Structures are given as C-alpha cells and as structure tokens.
Amino acid sequence: MHPGLQRVLFHERDIAARLDEMAAEITEFYQKKPLTVLAILNGSLVFAADLLRRIPLPLRFESLAVASYQGTESSGIVSFRQSNLPAVSGRHVLLLDDILDTGCTLNAVRQRILAEAAPLSIRAAVLLQKKKPRAETLVADYAGFEIEDEFVVGYGLDFDGHYRNLPVVGVLNTSSLGLR
Ligand code: IMP
Ligand code: MG
C-alpha cells in the first residue's frame, strides 16, 4: 500500500464497476437532452475522465476551477479561479465533483450558474459522499460511494496538492505526512 495511505477504501476495480452503473443511469436520464458536463477542477479530473468515456451521448464538456479546502478542513469559502462561466444557457448541466462534504462547493457553483445563465436543469454527480447531516438542497443526484467522515485522498482527491495521482481512494495516513 502507498505510504501516504492508512487504508484503501476503493480499489480501481471497485471504482470502475461503480462508474459503469452511474454512467448507465446518467445516459438513460439525458437521452435526447442537450447535455453539458461541467467538471469542477482540480478534484474531479480523474473521475470526469473515466465517467465521460462511459457516457455514449452527444455531450459537451466544460470545466470550472474552484477551491475551498485548506489542509483537511473545508474553509466554507468557495473561490472561483476563473472569472467567466462556460456558456450553459439552454442546456442541461451535469456538475461533476470528486466528493460532497459540506456541500458548499456544489451549492456555490449552482448558485453562480443560476445567477449568470439560464440552464434547462442542473444536476450533480460525485464519486464520494461523506455521511454527515446536511441541508436537503445540498445533496447530489448521483453519488458513487458513501463514506464515513474521514479525510480521503487518491483518484483526483488531494491533501495540500498531493496524492491526486494515486489510482485508488484511501484514508490519508496523517503520520506519514513528512513523506510527501
Ligand atoms: P464541500 O464544499 O465541503 O462539499 O467540499 C467539497 C470539496 O472539498 C471537494 O471538491 C474536495 O475538493 C474537497 N474535499 C472534501 N473532502 C475531502 C477529502 O476527504 N479529501 C480531499 N478533498 C476533500
Ligand atoms: Mg480539493
């Protein structure tokens, strides 16, 4: 196991099998709808690349760079790293993020899209969702796996910019942080 991990939660084959299911559901829902998949970067990079290739629809792909985490805690403040939103008026938007924690990030992106554009709908798909109470408006329409409230890395998820390239998702080994 990678020294940065305390334990592995999802191996590559677990993720691939779950993405097949999610993609099938998404493909079914967006048949004959003008779809724009909007990936929230950097965290959703790997998830988006793997999910997109399983959705055989004539979709458009866009991305939006956003940051909210500092270390292992959500700062609650979502900063947009680019000033312009991709053009999504008149389209169904599927937001992709690596993980739903407090829900602040997805909520901020949704609110900004609704304030600046006129999409036909906005849904959200996340690979992981932490088990914790959150408002009903802050849920994801598609969630790969539910996890405990632990800090995880790998498969696009980072700690301080590291570990995004691990092919698995695992719990961060906080005693190995000197090894990065
Ligand atoms: P939220 O805004 O609190 O829902 O947090 C969502 C964002 O925080 C995600 O886009 C992730 O980038 C980051 N995040 C939340 N939990 C974790 C984690 O356990 N590991 C790595 N990043 C996380
Ligand atoms: Mg992140």
Side-chain angles (χ1 to χ4, degrees), residues 6-69:
Q6 196 187 100
R7 63 184 195 281
V8 173
L9 293 182
F10 306 107
H11 289 276
E12 287 173 272
R13 61 178 177 278
D14 307 322
I15 298 170
R18 186 66 186 113
L19 291 195
D20 284 344
E21 295 173 350
M22 293 175 81
E25 224 184 300
I26 290 166
T27 302
E28 170 79 26
F29 183 80
Y30 288 104
Q31 296 284 336
K32 302 203 171 80
K33 294 188 174 105
L35 170 63
T36 294
V37 174
L38 179 53
I40 301 174
L41 297 181
N42 294 327
S44 76
L45 173 74
V46 183
F47 173 50
D50 282 350
L51 187 71
L52 268 188
R53 286 176 291 173
R54 289 170 161 85
I55 304 175
L57 295 174
L59 56 82
R60 283 190 198 156
F61 176 76
E62 299 284 359
S63 63
L64 194 59
V66 155
S68 76
Y69 251 62

Side-chain angles (χ1 to χ4, degrees), residues 69 74 97-99 101-105 130 150-152 158:
Y69 251 62
S74 180
D97 206 359
D98 49 359
I99 187 163
D101 181 12
T102 61
C104 282
T105 303
K130 287 189 184 173
E150 295 181 293
F151 196 81
V152 295
D158 73 303

Side-chain angles (χ1 to χ4, degrees), residues 135-174:
E136 251 173 65
T137 48
L138 303 181
V139 296
D141 302 276
Y142 307 94
F145 302 100
E146 280 241 72
I147 62 167
E148 297 301 326
D149 192 6
E150 295 181 293
F151 196 81
V152 295
V153 293
Y155 197 77
L157 292 123
D158 73 303
F159 170 70
D160 216 7
H162 295 267
Y163 309 117
R164 292 195 198 276
N165 55 328
L166 301 187
V168 301
V169 173
V171 178
L172 180 68
N173 179 3
T174 44

